[in-house]
Amino acid sequence: MAIGKTARSVDVGSVDRLARILGAFDENLNFLSRELGVVAYVDGVKIRVEGSDEAVEQGVQVLTALLGLAKSGEEIDKGRTAYCIELAKEGRTEEIAALQGGAVAITARGKQIKCKTVGQKNYVDAIKKNTVVFGVGPAGTGKTYLAVCMAVSAFKSKQVEKIVLTRPAVEAGEKLGFLPGDLQTKVDPYLRPLYDALQELLGLETYGKLMERGAIEVAPLAYMRGRTLSNAFIILDEAQNTTKEQMKMFLTRMGEGSKTVVTGDVTQIDLDGKDSGLVHATSILKDVEGIAVCELTAKDVVRHPLVMRIIRAYEKDTEDKTKKAAQKTRKESNER
């Protein structure tokens, strides 16, 4: 049966919006054409899309979503275009409208930090509504950075009196005992992403003053034992590398008026065979009132679009190995 061919146009209304949607050297439009297998070109202030019925429909949905973002002043880049394409393939482009809201935070230089995916928006909303939130997902989804943004926002609005950032002293292939200095010195390099995020949001001078007076604390997880953290915004990063005992210890540090965000990537566990506290906690606490588990995926990656494909390739490899293992088990069982 022959595949239908069609052509449709999207009127963007102005040259300025057209330029923003097209991107530098038309990179957004060229990317859309390659990903959907359509011919897309400019016709006045309209963008015309030609190809199969399904591909053209998806192309129009993507351009319409990008137009909505352009009208609301949102930034449009290749990554945002890639995300809209992913949603179009799933028939979910109407969800893009949710991203046209206000900023999560504003950096010391005045730059607005906004959610770039629906998954990120749901994650931020969950942090606003719940006392404890687990943000689970691959690298590049913004789970740690957005948590720090929410912590700074809560501190500035006086919802909390202190920000506490922590992570376990475990790293892939690293032996901390061979590094010079005490435990704090040893883990400082691994806490660098948290330092950087705070400095960007607060400015170096303000960050330094808050650190000096103890309003911001960045410490290894081992330093949390025996404490009660009240009126604080607490973030546990790289939580996939906590044991079940460490996770229980951390979650029970929370005192009155505090909020906790736990972030991690369950595909990067470095515990030498021990069970991950993050995996265990999300399985037993997901239905507890006041606790939310947000799962971010490859679609929520906001780094280079290639990172999304890399993550997908690894996910597919894991799925293939799991299927082969299951097939081998069934075969051996039948042979018996």
Side-chain angles (χ1 to χ4, degrees), residues 87-104:
L87 290 188
K89 289 178 178 179
E90 298 176 6
R92 297 170 51 208
T93 49
E94 72 282 352
E95 296 179 23
I96 290 292
L99 302 178
Q100 298 171 21
V104 176

Side-chain angles (χ1 to χ4, degrees), residues 216-232:
I216 295 177
E217 180 181 350
V218 186
L221 183 59
Y223 286 17
M224 297 296 110
R225 190 174 299 277
R227 301 178 60 187
T228 300
L229 301 170
S230 301
N231 300 312

Side-chain angles (χ1 to χ4, degrees), residues 124-141:
V124 167
D125 288 344
I127 294 174
K128 292 177 181 178
K129 296 175 184 176
N130 295 276
T131 304
V132 178
V133 173
F134 291 89
V136 184
T141 52

Side-chain angles (χ1 to χ4, degrees), residues 132-236:
V132 178
V133 173
F134 291 89
V136 184
T141 52
K143 54 189 183 294
T144 300
Y145 186 77
L146 287 173
V148 174
C149 286
M150 295 298 290
V152 170
S153 178
F155 179 79
K156 286 183 174 179
S157 61
K158 302 188 185 307
Q159 296 176 42
V160 297
E161 299 172 357
K162 186 173 185 177
I163 297 173
V164 179
L165 309 178
T166 186
R167 65 183 289 179
V170 177
E171 286 298 321
E174 300 287 349
K175 300 297 182 183
L176 293 174
F178 290 103
L179 297 175
D182 58 17
L183 183 57
Q184 180 73 53
T185 304
K186 289 175 180 180
V187 299
D188 266 357
Y190 304 124
L191 296 167
R192 178 50 54 190
L194 301 177
Y195 291 131
D196 291 344
L198 284 169
Q199 289 171 10
E200 180 184 0
L201 291 162
L202 294 167
L204 192 57
E205 184 178 348
T206 301
Y207 164 78
K209 289 179 180 178
L210 292 175
M211 286 287 286
E212 283 179 11
R213 75 172 206 232
I216 295 177
E217 180 181 350
V218 186
L221 183 59
Y223 286 17
M224 297 296 110
R225 190 174 299 277
R227 301 178 60 187
T228 300
L229 301 170
S230 301
N231 300 312
F233 196 114
I234 315 156
I235 299 174
L236 171 60

Side-chain angles (χ1 to χ4, degrees), residues 27 34 37 77 98 113 134 209 244 293 299 319:
E27 69 168 352
R34 290 195 304 272
D77 54 18
I113 305 299
F134 291 89
K209 289 179 180 178
K244 289 192 288 186
V293 178
K299 285 193 292 293
E319 290 174 4

